[in-house]
Amino acid sequence: MPSRYCTARRPALSKYKLASTVGAPHSPACLPAREEKATYCLSWRTMDMEKVNAMDFGEFVEVFGNVIERCPLVAAAVWSQRPFSDREDLERHFFAFIDSLPQSGREGILRCHPDLAGRELQRGALTAESQREQSGAGLTRLGPEERRRLLELNARYRARFGFPFVLAARLSHREAVPAELARRLQRQPAQELRTALDEVKKIAGLRLADLLGADPARL
Ligand SMILES: NC(=O)N[C@H]1NC(=O)NC1=O
């Protein structure tokens, strides 16, 4: 059974890779003269947000529903805050909604995340985004001993804090993950809850940048 958010059930990414539809400045043929560059960049970015701001509720949730892993409710709430001035503004609304939740809601968001290199990865049940992130970090290519070690650490973490270990996999690597997990296992619960939510925000920022075509170097 494919995951709710896998690409098989979602409209083709190209339809929603918003920046690439507006003559984005990747192709040398459409690079502007130097003095025009600022206005040019501003206008293609603004155009993106015009498209986002024009989306109806269903379309918005379809496109942004997995910015927070398996929590389309966040996008559903953010939609009513339109219009957004730019990607950073849209991101701020996602983050503000998370921060406005009671502790049970913030923990609930963490519990929607699959373990890193966990059973969902083994079963092929990850969302398309999570699959790409975990695969990029090398977590789909662990040897049996590395996998066993991570399973054990993930289980200890979940037993201690009551939610899964969350880390922005795209900013890490398979060799670094177990050490970071072991380090965070030592933290106090309140501190760890804040750190885990910061990681959710890093993941969300990168997913929004994918969708809106931001330059990752500026993140
Ligand atoms: N557990 C966990 O951190 N999962 C998330 N991390 C990430 O980069 N993608 C995920 O699904």
Side-chain angles (χ1 to χ4, degrees):
M1 178 75 182
S3 138
R4 163 72 182 81
Y5 296 107
C6 79
T7 43
R9 294 191 56 193
R10 201 159 60 175
L13 191 63
S14 59
K15 182 177 168 196
Y16 291 118
K17 184 90 180 168
L18 300 160
S20 63
T21 61
V22 195
H26 309 304
S27 116
C30 65
L31 270 179
R34 209 156 184 255
E35 60 277 14
E36 292 166 4
K37 201 169 178 182
T39 332
Y40 177 88
C41 291
L42 186 66
S43 66
W44 74 262
R45 280 172 169 279
T46 310
M47 184 103 67
D48 291 344
M49 290 320 292
E50 277 172 17
K51 287 188 177 188
V52 171
N53 289 329
M55 286 178 178
D56 67 22
F57 175 76
E59 197 178 4
F60 187 89
V61 175
E62 190 70 55
V63 174
F64 295 104
N66 209 42
V67 165
I68 306 300
E69 177 76 10
R70 290 178 175 149
C71 294
L73 169 69
V74 184
V78 165
W79 178 79
S80 55
Q81 311 288 315
R82 300 166 349 282
F84 310 105
S85 52
D86 52 20
R87 181 182 55 76
E88 288 86 351
D89 186 41
L90 178 59
E91 183 182 276
R92 266 193 300 279
H93 281 91
F94 271 89
F95 295 176
F97 180 80
I98 293 173
D99 292 338
S100 76
L101 292 171
Q103 181 167 334
S104 57
R106 284 178 280 134
E107 288 183 352
I109 283 184
L110 294 173
R111 290 188 188 110
C112 289
H113 285 70
D115 279 347
L116 293 177
R119 292 194 176 81
E120 281 156 298
L121 186 150
Q122 303 307 320
R123 288 205 317 266
L126 292 175
T127 62
E129 291 85 349
S130 183
Q131 176 71 40
R132 204 166 46 239
E133 290 154 358
Q134 299 206 32
S135 159
L139 293 167
T140 49
R141 299 184 299 279
L142 297 183
E145 181 48 35
E146 285 176 294
R147 190 173 312 124
R148 193 203 55 72
R149 168 102 176 114
L150 230 92
L151 273 176
E152 182 211 317
L153 284 167
N154 272 325
R156 282 174 52 202
Y157 183 100
R158 196 184 285 266
R160 172 159 165 74
F161 298 113
F163 48 78
F165 172 71
V166 174
L167 177 78
R170 278 163 78 177
L171 304 177
S172 189
H173 193 260
R174 61 193 267 192
E175 278 109 37
V177 173
E180 180 62 5
L181 212 170
R183 190 182 71 79
R184 281 173 47 189
L185 248 176
Q186 309 304 318
R187 305 288 242 352
Q188 290 308 307
Q191 185 191 22
E192 185 49 26
L193 178 61
R194 280 195 300 276
T195 301
L197 287 163
D198 284 346
E199 293 296 318
V200 168
K201 292 175 184 175
K202 287 181 199 167
I203 296 168
L206 291 165
R207 289 182 181 184
L208 278 172
D210 286 344
L211 286 163
L212 293 166
D215 175 0
R218 294 185 64 240
L219 295 176

